[in-house]
Amino acid sequence: MAKPYNHRRAENAYKKWKEKDERFMKKNGMPMDKILLMRDFDRMQFNSDRRFFEKVDYDSEQKISKVVQPNLSELNDPRTIGDFLNSITSITFAELLEEFGFEMKLIIFLMYRGYCAKEVSKITGIPEWTICRRLAKLDYTYKTRKTNK
């Protein structure tokens, strides 16, 4: 079981911090009425925090923090080429990939997954310079079609 809220420890920490804070304000020439105003405000904040921490169930908080949440990027990360093609939002780009064929789709998918041209070349058996040339041609065609629309 977690430790319950300790009033004395919290009060002592607050007093120590507040004394140091008020010494600093006095040293730097802050008027006493402003210091008293700050003291009242800080006390209200401290009491509010104390009311909150008295009611917190630390055991349930620890259990909740240990639960592993799925990473959103993993949920949206396409695992197959079909998922990847369905995730493309640009109609022009999707049409171009259809025109360029399956090899181009595969190259784009692997590069989207983080592979460089050299690694894609090893996976697909397509020479690296061919991959680079096709990517350049795809880029040029996409830019010209995008500006024409």
Side-chain angles (χ1 to χ4, degrees):
M1 183 170 160
K3 291 192 284 185
Y5 183 77
N6 189 326
H7 289 275
R8 181 171 292 164
R9 184 181 310 129
E11 184 70 32
N12 288 341
Y14 170 76
K15 284 182 180 177
K16 185 178 177 181
W17 167 73
K18 198 60 195 157
E19 287 172 2
K20 183 179 174 186
D21 189 41
E22 287 180 5
R23 275 196 310 267
F24 177 79
M25 287 188 275
K26 285 178 187 175
K27 179 181 170 187
N28 289 308
M30 186 174 231
M32 195 60 186
D33 60 332
K34 300 278 185 182
I35 293 173
L36 294 175
L37 186 66
M38 288 289 292
R39 182 187 296 168
D40 292 340
F41 177 77
D42 288 340
R43 179 47 106 174
M44 280 186 349
Q45 289 295 108
F46 172 73
N47 288 339
S48 174
D49 289 347
R50 180 169 51 189
R51 283 190 298 273
F52 171 77
F53 286 116
E54 284 174 345
K55 292 178 174 57
V56 170
D57 181 7
Y58 287 101
D59 290 332
S60 64
E61 290 292 320
Q62 288 176 351
K63 289 175 188 170
I64 290 171
S65 67
K66 288 181 182 176
V67 173
V68 177
Q69 297 293 323
N71 190 354
L72 289 178
S73 63
E74 290 175 3
L75 293 175
N76 296 329
D77 196 19
R79 300 275 178 212
T80 65
I81 293 177
D83 292 341
F84 171 70
L85 293 174
N86 289 334
S87 70
I88 295 174
T89 57
S90 170
I91 295 171
T92 308
F93 188 66
E95 289 172 352
L96 275 177
L97 284 179
E98 285 296 322
E99 288 177 23
F100 275 73
F102 178 76
E103 284 184 347
M104 197 63 198
K105 292 177 193 175
L106 181 62
I107 292 168
I108 295 294
F109 174 70
L110 290 172
M111 295 194 89
Y112 176 79
R113 301 285 292 165
Y115 293 101
C116 66
K118 189 174 190 177
E119 294 167 329
V120 172
S121 174
K122 288 179 184 176
I123 293 169
T124 60
I126 301 170
E128 187 177 349
W129 61 271
T130 304
I131 292 172
C132 294
R133 193 189 62 204
R134 287 182 183 174
L135 287 172
K137 186 176 179 183
L138 177 72
D139 183 47
Y140 174 76
T141 309
Y142 177 71
K143 286 179 181 175
T144 55
R145 286 203 185 164
K146 191 175 177 184
T147 56
N148 290 340
K149 285 189 177 186

PDB file of all heavy atoms in Angstrom, residues 12 22 28 53 90-91 116 129 141 143:
ATOM      1  N   ASN A  12       5.822  21.408   6.478  1.00  0.00           N
ATOM      2  CA  ASN A  12       7.218  21.793   6.704  1.00  0.00           C
ATOM      3  C   ASN A  12       7.912  22.174   5.401  1.00  0.00           C
ATOM      4  O   ASN A  12       8.665  23.154   5.347  1.00  0.00           O
ATOM      5  CB  ASN A  12       7.982  20.677   7.409  1.00  0.00           C
ATOM      6  CG  ASN A  12       7.576  20.523   8.856  1.00  0.00           C
ATOM      7  OD1 ASN A  12       7.003  21.432   9.461  1.00  0.00           O
ATOM      8  ND2 ASN A  12       7.864  19.360   9.426  1.00  0.00           N
ATOM      9  N   GLU A  22      10.349  34.438   0.597  1.00  0.00           N
ATOM     10  CA  GLU A  22      10.148  35.778   1.160  1.00  0.00           C
ATOM     11  C   GLU A  22      11.476  36.479   1.428  1.00  0.00           C
ATOM     12  O   GLU A  22      11.580  37.700   1.237  1.00  0.00           O
ATOM     13  CB  GLU A  22       9.304  35.686   2.436  1.00  0.00           C
ATOM     14  CG  GLU A  22       7.853  35.387   2.116  1.00  0.00           C
ATOM     15  CD  GLU A  22       6.986  35.291   3.356  1.00  0.00           C
ATOM     16  OE1 GLU A  22       7.473  35.544   4.482  1.00  0.00           O
ATOM     17  OE2 GLU A  22       5.798  34.957   3.202  1.00  0.00           O
ATOM     18  N   ASN A  28      15.491  41.680  -2.680  1.00  0.00           N
ATOM     19  CA  ASN A  28      15.421  42.354  -3.976  1.00  0.00           C
ATOM     20  C   ASN A  28      14.482  43.560  -3.975  1.00  0.00           C
ATOM     21  O   ASN A  28      14.144  44.078  -5.033  1.00  0.00           O
ATOM     22  CB  ASN A  28      15.025  41.363  -5.070  1.00  0.00           C
ATOM     23  CG  ASN A  28      16.155  40.402  -5.364  1.00  0.00           C
ATOM     24  OD1 ASN A  28      17.274  40.820  -5.615  1.00  0.00           O
ATOM     25  ND2 ASN A  28      15.879  39.111  -5.290  1.00  0.00           N
ATOM     26  N   PHE A  53      -4.390  16.180  -2.924  1.00  0.00           N
ATOM     27  CA  PHE A  53      -3.519  15.049  -2.629  1.00  0.00           C
ATOM     28  C   PHE A  53      -4.035  14.195  -1.473  1.00  0.00           C
ATOM     29  O   PHE A  53      -3.686  13.027  -1.375  1.00  0.00           O
ATOM     30  CB  PHE A  53      -2.091  15.521  -2.355  1.00  0.00           C
ATOM     31  CG  PHE A  53      -1.374  15.936  -3.605  1.00  0.00           C
ATOM     32  CD1 PHE A  53      -0.961  17.242  -3.776  1.00  0.00           C
ATOM     33  CD2 PHE A  53      -1.142  15.034  -4.632  1.00  0.00           C
ATOM     34  CE1 PHE A  53      -0.314  17.639  -4.937  1.00  0.00           C
ATOM     35  CE2 PHE A  53      -0.500  15.417  -5.789  1.00  0.00           C
ATOM     36  CZ  PHE A  53      -0.087  16.723  -5.944  1.00  0.00           C
ATOM     37  N   SER A  90      -3.316  11.775 -51.161  1.00  0.00           N
ATOM     38  CA  SER A  90      -3.215  12.543 -52.401  1.00  0.00           C
ATOM     39  C   SER A  90      -3.706  11.689 -53.569  1.00  0.00           C
ATOM     40  O   SER A  90      -3.131  10.633 -53.860  1.00  0.00           O
ATOM     41  CB  SER A  90      -1.768  12.973 -52.637  1.00  0.00           C
ATOM     42  OG  SER A  90      -1.625  13.509 -53.928  1.00  0.00           O
ATOM     43  N   ILE A  91      -4.758  12.135 -54.226  1.00  0.00           N
ATOM     44  CA  ILE A  91      -5.314  11.396 -55.370  1.00  0.00           C
ATOM     45  C   ILE A  91      -4.301  11.351 -56.508  1.00  0.00           C
ATOM     46  O   ILE A  91      -4.115  10.320 -57.148  1.00  0.00           O
ATOM     47  CB  ILE A  91      -6.631  12.046 -55.837  1.00  0.00           C
ATOM     48  CG1 ILE A  91      -7.673  11.920 -54.722  1.00  0.00           C
ATOM     49  CG2 ILE A  91      -7.132  11.409 -57.118  1.00  0.00           C
ATOM     50  CD1 ILE A  91      -8.937  12.689 -54.970  1.00  0.00           C
ATOM     51  N   CYS A 116      16.600   2.636 -46.965  1.00  0.00           N
ATOM     52  CA  CYS A 116      17.238   3.525 -47.936  1.00  0.00           C
ATOM     53  C   CYS A 116      17.270   2.820 -49.298  1.00  0.00           C
ATOM     54  O   CYS A 116      16.939   1.640 -49.414  1.00  0.00           O
ATOM     55  CB  CYS A 116      18.643   3.910 -47.481  1.00  0.00           C
ATOM     56  SG  CYS A 116      19.798   2.538 -47.432  1.00  0.00           S
ATOM     57  N   TRP A 129      20.744   2.396 -58.856  1.00  0.00           N
ATOM     58  CA  TRP A 129      20.626   3.551 -59.749  1.00  0.00           C
ATOM     59  C   TRP A 129      19.266   3.570 -60.430  1.00  0.00           C
ATOM     60  O   TRP A 129      18.722   4.631 -60.726  1.00  0.00           O
ATOM     61  CB  TRP A 129      21.770   3.580 -60.764  1.00  0.00           C
ATOM     62  CG  TRP A 129      21.837   2.392 -61.672  1.00  0.00           C
ATOM     63  CD1 TRP A 129      22.499   1.228 -61.462  1.00  0.00           C
ATOM     64  CD2 TRP A 129      21.187   2.249 -62.932  1.00  0.00           C
ATOM     65  NE1 TRP A 129      22.314   0.365 -62.495  1.00  0.00           N
ATOM     66  CE2 TRP A 129      21.521   0.966 -63.426  1.00  0.00           C
ATOM     67  CE3 TRP A 129      20.374   3.069 -63.702  1.00  0.00           C
ATOM     68  CZ2 TRP A 129      21.048   0.476 -64.639  1.00  0.00           C
ATOM     69  CZ3 TRP A 129      19.918   2.585 -64.919  1.00  0.00           C
ATOM     70  CH2 TRP A 129      20.248   1.302 -65.370  1.00  0.00           C
ATOM     71  N   THR A 141       7.217  13.845 -62.312  1.00  0.00           N
ATOM     72  CA  THR A 141       5.862  13.687 -62.835  1.00  0.00           C
ATOM     73  C   THR A 141       4.836  14.197 -61.840  1.00  0.00           C
ATOM     74  O   THR A 141       3.852  14.852 -62.216  1.00  0.00           O
ATOM     75  CB  THR A 141       5.580  12.194 -63.158  1.00  0.00           C
ATOM     76  OG1 THR A 141       6.650  11.701 -63.961  1.00  0.00           O
ATOM     77  CG2 THR A 141       4.286  12.042 -63.907  1.00  0.00           C
ATOM     78  N   LYS A 143       5.233  16.502 -59.489  1.00  0.00           N
ATOM     79  CA  LYS A 143       5.280  17.966 -59.409  1.00  0.00           C
ATOM     80  C   LYS A 143       4.635  18.612 -60.624  1.00  0.00           C
ATOM     81  O   LYS A 143       3.923  19.609 -60.484  1.00  0.00           O
ATOM     82  CB  LYS A 143       6.726  18.445 -59.272  1.00  0.00           C
ATOM     83  CG  LYS A 143       7.294  18.187 -57.895  1.00  0.00           C
ATOM     84  CD  LYS A 143       8.724  18.647 -57.779  1.00  0.00           C
ATOM     85  CE  LYS A 143       9.276  18.362 -56.403  1.00  0.00           C
ATOM     86  NZ  LYS A 143      10.693  18.694 -56.286  1.00  0.00           N
TER      87      LYS A 143
END
